[in-house]
Amino acid sequence: MTILSHFQAIIDWHREHQTPVVAQLRPGLKPDKIEKRAKQLPFALPPEIKALYELHDGLKDNAPLFTSFTFLPLGEVVAEYELACEMAEDFEPPDDAETQDPEAYWKPSWLPLFGFQGDYYLIDAALGLRSPVYYRVGTEPALPWYDNLSRMFKTIRSCFEQGAYFYDEDQILAEDFEKANSLREQLNPRSAKLGSSEPEPIKQELDEQPDGTRRLTTWFSEDHYIEQFYGPDQRKIGQSEYYQGDLTRRDSYLYIGADEVEITSENLMGFMMTTKTRGRITADGSVETTHVQTFMQDQMLFEQDLTKDDEDEDWDEEDSDDEDAPAALPKP
């Protein structure tokens, strides 16, 4: 799929679910308007960026398209670019900064497309479609966060379709960060990787039943705990996660064979979405995902076969998702 088709799929998801984003979409610009506004930049806009702004000129009122970030109208892109260049003239990295290279913080060819209170997702206009999408937080060095703009839109689309981004009961856009970052790292193998953000457990209890089944309860705080269930053969058969007494996620495991499992994950926050993940059990007990389906109210929203090469994008590596799903009971 192209950049535009991935972007349109994100917009279509918002329309289908009647989210607040729909009312905040600005109409697209005519080519002459784009050229007029882009003349204030010291470089030409890549054709694909022009096409985006012909489709929609960003969002009104800083409405978030994903997480907290809005799609900046082209006029604001120019204004934010000029402000960033002005601030970069007087900026000096702190003595204890991880790098003293000024181009790690700002380059004159960087173009901010998505923003939130001074934080940006940017592309390098000099590289065009080959540019990574950089994530810059305040005055920190920018990180390559997505392999390219097409990968960024595909990742955002997947996060919505697989329930990593969702609207809560108050229609506030929320995020399952671990799931979203797992998708990002899976779909963007050349970009920044984060260490595990899972908190350290403060207590574990193991309950053994006469029939050989077991329940391992792990507390991360007084309000947050996870129950993991194991069959008589010590293979994992389910998991439930609780916050403040509420069940927020429930997983069940169906073993199709000795080395294949289907995991059904129910997200019980906001939109009630269910994801079915089928994968191969590797030698170390983890699961290598091969197929993903996402449902809402028994209606399939999304299906992806990860065994097929993604031939339409500039990426030669195979899609894969190594999901931590131990096949044997860990020691408490």
Side-chain angles (χ1 to χ4, degrees), residues 216-242:
L216 176 66
T217 305
T218 303
W219 280 268
F220 300 99
S221 70
E222 292 183 359
D223 297 327
H224 178 204
Y225 64 93
I226 292 175
E227 294 178 333
Q228 299 179 74
F229 303 93
Y230 296 84
D233 58 0
Q234 296 197 20
R235 293 206 296 183
K236 191 173 183 178
I237 57 176
Q239 177 171 301
S240 298
E241 185 167 4
Y242 295 83

Side-chain angles (χ1 to χ4, degrees), residues 106-139:
W106 180 256
K107 293 174 67 174
S109 56
W110 280 354
L111 183 68
L113 296 175
F114 304 90
F116 173 69
Q117 296 183 353
D119 300 340
Y120 303 112
Y121 286 98
L122 325 104
I123 65 166
D124 191 332
L127 299 177
L129 285 188
R130 295 182 294 110
S131 171
V133 178
Y134 296 95
Y135 179 35
R136 200 191 79 158
V137 178
T139 56

Side-chain angles (χ1 to χ4, degrees), residues 91-105 139-142:
F91 176 74
E92 293 184 4
D95 292 338
D96 59 350
E98 59 184 83
T99 176
Q100 296 295 314
D101 181 4
E103 290 199 344
Y105 300 88
T139 56
E140 296 294 319

Side-chain angles (χ1 to χ4, degrees), residues 297-313:
Q297 297 178 347
D298 297 326
Q299 296 293 318
M300 185 185 296
L301 302 178
F302 172 78
E303 184 171 16
Q304 186 175 17
D305 185 352
L306 298 179
T307 63
K308 295 182 179 179
D309 291 336
D310 199 352
E311 298 176 350
D312 61 324
E313 299 180 52

